[in-house]
Amino acid sequence: MASFVAVVLLFLSGVAGLGYQLVWTRMFAVGLGHELTAMLAVVAAFFGGLTLGAFVLDKWVSVSRRPALWYAGLELIIGLWALVSAFVIPTANDWARAWLGVEPGLLHFWFVAFLVPFFALLPATLAMGATLPAADRWLAQIKADPRQIALAYSVNTAGAVLGVLVASYALMPLLGYRQTLFALAFINALVALSAGLFYFLKSELSLPEKTRVIKAHKQPLPLFWRLLITGFLGIAYEVVTVRVMAQVLEGTVYSFAAVLAVYLTGTAIGAGLYHRFGRNRDGDRLLTSLLFSLSLFCLTGLSVLYLTHGLYWWVRTGLGDSLDAVLLAELTVALPVLLPPTLIMGALFSHLAQSARHATGGVGWALGVNMAGGLAAPLVAGVVLVPLLGVQWTLIGIALAYWLLLPKFSILPRWAYALPAILVLLLPGRLQIVTLRPGESVLEYREGAMASVAVIEQQNERNLRVNNRFQMGGTGVRALRLQRMQTHVPMLLHPKPSDVLYLGVATGVTAGAALTHRASRIDAVELVPESLALLPYFSPYNAELHKNPRVRLYTSDARRYVRTSSQQYDVVIGDLFHPGRDGGGLLYTKEHFQAIAERLMPGGLYCQWLPLYQMDEAMLRSVIKTFQSVFGKTEAWLAGFDLGYPSLALIALSGDTARPEAIESTIGFNQPLKQHLHLAAVRSSVQLAGHFLADHRMLADYAEGAPINTDDHPVILFDAPKFTLKRGVASYASFAALLNSLQFKQASALSSLSSDANAEFTERVDAFVKARNLYFATMINHNEDEARALSGYLQSVETSPDFTLAYAQIVSMAIGKAQKEPETARQWLEKLIEIRPEIPGARDVLYRLPGL
């Protein structure tokens, strides 16, 4: 019974410990920027505190006759500091941003990124570092057997698996970060109270006489190095494989949790198997078997990585698109890569730690040495080795390093030593996971610390793809039109834009479009440095902004930049941030919008573009509600009328906007700007004003009751994947819901676009918007019904001569019809000529096509 109580408490302690790590990682991501950066920094800081705690406290814990009391006290400290950390970390994030500045150097960044979490978490991690030695001592006391480290490690790690899943899938989405810390702290308090009661109820329990006093011996050097190096290699393998699988998995907030759960599960099972079958076996023989097996399994895991993309979609196709189905698919991909090596890692650490206990009487120093190796792994492997060597050679190096740790006198036959080399030679080539459609090729591929970036070419088009998942713009006609209008809409709405800030660069097409305006200074911030390095591949479409002296490009996190920069801007433009991408939801929080408001000059304008094709209605309402909680005067504008990629601009106004009827005088003789606008079918002030969708009051009515997205409770970060994971959902679903809610209120709102004196302009814009909405309704509801579609498009053509998309749609339909039903095609074209004789398109087609 006593051992059962201890095991249960160890399990619960593991639940809280890994839960804390995930929550702290998310909280520090707010200050440090990218989630991968925060993960590396917090893991390193976590291991730093564990190392220090194991070294400092082991000399007391490992010989204590009251380990249950030690364990209770340590758990209480962890819980108390978890409560304190809920308030300390936001302040620490402010310090980190201030110390980092706008664009820190590499060493400066990682020094601050490690140091701030290390000291902010130190009281808790210091105590955590001594919990395993205390648990080992406690179990040894209960069972009168010193060989309990594997059991303690296995049970604690098994609890960590549950902690990962519960924190990621339940607590953080439901409660937010601060409340999750409070819930986990309650678990620590429960564990501390139970361990304390156990001590007082079982105070007579003590170690057998022969094990009470253990003489410490100088540790053999080979064991020290094996502990240190295997600690480094184990975490390095995790960091690099997670980095590779990011190109296969969905890249959501849940993806890392799935991978981590597999890693911890393997470690827990491996330690448990060692406790059951290996703790009494010959040390050298077992060590040789474990190290050699681990080398082979790491190389096997590397081989499996080449197949993960096909495996993922094979499983995903069979299971569907629910969050649970995607979790199972991601677990299936992670299992063959991580489970076999981590089984051996769990047994190997248990074996090395038990060997160390025989020498010194405690496992704290062994844990400390192993954790010290793990401390260096995120930075060395993730930041240095992957960009320098690539993921393939980094993983090969990890596998061969295990092989080099084999004892000098081995039980293996000589031919076995050649197996790792044979596996390396059998690898199919460079590990480059890029999914190509027919006709596509990889023009350039680069691996960085945060992401892999590829330039994909198809015929004369190029696209930028990050982590094989996220299309970040390109040079196709539709993509160019959308990217450029992301600049032109807000720039034309500001009376005199001089200083402009872009949050997000990608291909540079959007920021490059600003060079067609008379802005005097353009600053652009990009998180992934490899994207900036690939800008030349998108010339001349991006106006070669990387060479222009008016443009300053920053490699920085957008959130940190707006909080640390002292610059102010007339116009700030936020890119189309994917809400389902891990971290994307943090770019739609109230705190981020507040920081941007401070960067605006008096009369400044902030434009945040929203990818409606990646949002459901609940997300859209939440973003609008959050946006309006910061800005008191807002509008919504469209980038264009393409239902394949509907994009909405939320415009925050701190002054008066330029009137759309002034577009002709704004453009003047600016031919590059005029050309961009003509390609987007914006040839007049009416056509620009026709992109208007809603005013502040209409948006407020639409978003009424929606939750506000905050740094502490980023509802979009956790809810977005549930929508973006689904296939077969119409890209215009959320836009259709928004349009249906707004269209009956648009007529009154349109009057704000023009002065009362210009009644003709207002009337033309009103007709344009009605024609536009008829076109949208027809595309959404009747596109599969030819007769109803034709009727809807004709109504749109009749409503406004300025809106021409419905006209072009009928011409396209007629061309498709001409070969099989020429008479029908002729009737359609003649109807267009009758309705709009001033437009030459239908007449030209009628005379050009044979048979008409």
Side-chain angles (χ1 to χ4, degrees), residues 244 247-248 302 305-306 309 391-392 428-436 441-447 452-456 468:
V244 176
Q247 301 168 72
V248 176
L302 170 58
L305 285 172
Y306 290 87
H309 184 267
V391 293
Q392 181 185 30
R430 185 181 182 184
L431 180 56
Q432 177 179 296
I433 301 177
V434 181
T435 307
L436 298 176
S441 61
V442 179
L443 191 62
E444 181 66 30
Y445 181 85
R446 299 198 180 186
E447 292 177 334
S452 296
V453 182
V455 179
I456 309 298
N468 193 41

Side-chain angles (χ1 to χ4, degrees), residues 698 739-748 773:
M698 295 163 61
L739 187 66
N740 184 60
S741 172
L742 298 179
Q743 61 181 338
F744 299 109
K745 306 174 184 177
Q746 285 177 325
S748 60
N773 290 349

Side-chain angles (χ1 to χ4, degrees), residues 481-487 489 576 609-610 637-642 645-649 680 682 691:
R481 183 166 59 237
L482 171 62
Q483 291 168 97
R484 286 168 173 167
M485 285 301 287
Q486 287 175 233
T487 281
V489 169
L576 292 163
W609 287 100
L610 305 181
W637 290 70
L638 295 171
F641 311 125
D642 185 349
Y645 298 96
S647 302
L648 180 72
V682 179
H691 288 69

Side-chain angles (χ1 to χ4, degrees), residues 397-419:
I398 290 170
L400 294 182
Y402 279 118
W403 182 75
L404 292 173
L405 289 175
L406 288 172
K408 291 182 180 179
F409 300 101
S410 174
I411 62 169
L412 298 175
R414 291 184 179 181
W415 60 264
Y417 286 97
L419 284 178

Side-chain angles (χ1 to χ4, degrees), residues 261-285:
V262 173
Y263 185 92
L264 294 171
T265 298
T267 305
I269 294 174
L273 291 174
Y274 175 83
H275 179 76
R276 178 68 178 83
F277 301 107
R279 58 185 173 139
N280 296 318
R281 293 185 61 186
D282 177 78
D284 285 341
R285 286 176 174 270

Side-chain angles (χ1 to χ4, degrees), residues 169 237-238 240-251 254-263 297-298 300-319 324-342 395 431 433 468-469:
Y169 286 86
Y237 185 82
E238 177 194 10
V240 180
T241 51
V242 166
R243 178 67 181 70
V244 176
M245 285 187 285
Q247 301 168 72
V248 176
L249 308 183
E250 293 296 336
Y254 302 108
S255 298
F256 175 67
V259 173
L260 183 58
V262 173
Y263 185 92
F297 281 144
C298 286
T300 304
L302 170 58
S303 302
V304 173
L305 285 172
Y306 290 87
L307 309 174
T308 49
H309 184 267
L311 176 62
Y312 175 79
W313 282 108
W314 179 74
V315 176
R316 176 82 185 274
T317 301
L319 294 177
D324 291 339
V326 172
L327 169 63
L328 289 174
E330 291 182 328
L331 289 173
T332 303
V333 169
L335 280 170
V337 177
L338 290 175
L339 190 63
T342 54
L395 288 172
L431 180 56
I433 301 177
N468 193 41
R469 275 286 180 185

Side-chain angles (χ1 to χ4, degrees), residues 353-369:
Q354 181 170 290
S355 300
R357 194 183 197 285
H358 289 165
T360 64
V363 297
W365 84 269
L367 178 64
V369 172

